[in-house]
Amino acid sequence: MGYKIRKLLIVLIMLLPVVSYTGCKKQPKCGCNGDILYTETDQLFDHSSIVYNETGTNAYFFVYSGGGVYYDTYYFCNPSEMFAQYKSIGSDEQVKLSGDVFWDCSFVSSASSSSSSSSYYYSYYKVYNIKVTKIESSLYGKK
């Protein structure tokens, strides 16, 4: 009887890791066509805090993330689509912005390959992509 119990325990010990394995944790896909981290809805900005280049092909803004001088950076996925709407808003007005937020791939790869001393730096600021769905003048008017 004791021999059968020991044999059963050995089989259970061998099968336990196989049964309990849940697989690898899925990492979110980065970039503008990746997995959405969260959705920004009617975030209020000063017009001047959104930076566009002259041709409207590149745009970004910073959001203060605390801890001194650290700012998270959000690069537009679709700056050309939103350029006309951005230009139609007066430079002294507040802007409401909405869109889906993703991890920036260059940030993810540099953060994952960084040494332990520079990973401390990456814990303070992050870089995101945002697919802007709306950019309009705020009802609150001018600053």
Side-chain angles (χ1 to χ4, degrees):
M1 183 70 150
Y3 176 72
K4 289 183 180 184
I5 292 174
R6 277 188 284 188
K7 203 172 189 181
L8 181 64
L9 283 174
I10 290 172
V11 170
L12 286 174
I13 289 172
M14 290 172 47
L15 288 178
L16 186 63
V18 174
V19 174
S20 66
Y21 178 71
T22 59
C24 296
K25 182 180 176 189
K26 179 184 176 282
Q27 296 293 321
K29 288 174 38 181
C30 61
C32 294
N33 294 319
D35 295 330
I36 298 171
L37 293 174
Y38 61 93
T39 300
E40 203 63 71
T41 305
D42 292 337
Q43 183 68 35
L44 201 58
F45 293 98
D46 289 339
H47 187 273
S48 61
S49 64
I50 300 172
V51 180
Y52 259 97
N53 66 352
E54 291 179 16
T55 58
T57 56
N58 190 9
Y60 61 92
F61 60 89
F62 298 107
V63 174
Y64 180 68
S65 62
V69 295
Y70 301 105
Y71 290 86
D72 293 338
T73 307
Y74 293 75
Y75 290 100
F76 282 34
C77 293
N78 52 345
S80 300
E81 293 174 28
M82 297 293 133
F83 190 53
Q85 292 165 329
Y86 172 79
K87 298 255 316 166
S88 69
I89 300 169
S91 62
D92 59 344
E93 293 183 48
Q94 295 270 297
V95 174
K96 283 195 305 188
L97 185 138
S98 299
D100 295 326
V101 177
F102 311 88
W103 282 117
D104 181 77
C105 290
S106 61
F107 170 76
V108 170
S109 67
S110 61
S112 65
S113 66
S114 67
S115 68
S116 61
S117 62
S118 63
S119 64
Y120 178 76
Y121 180 69
Y122 282 110
S123 67
Y124 283 103
Y125 87 93
K126 297 181 176 38
V127 181
Y128 300 99
N129 297 130
I130 182 166
K131 190 175 287 184
V132 179
T133 55
K134 178 175 73 172
I135 187 168
E136 64 185 12
S137 177
S138 168
L139 298 175
Y140 300 114
K142 301 177 192 259
K143 39 177 187 165

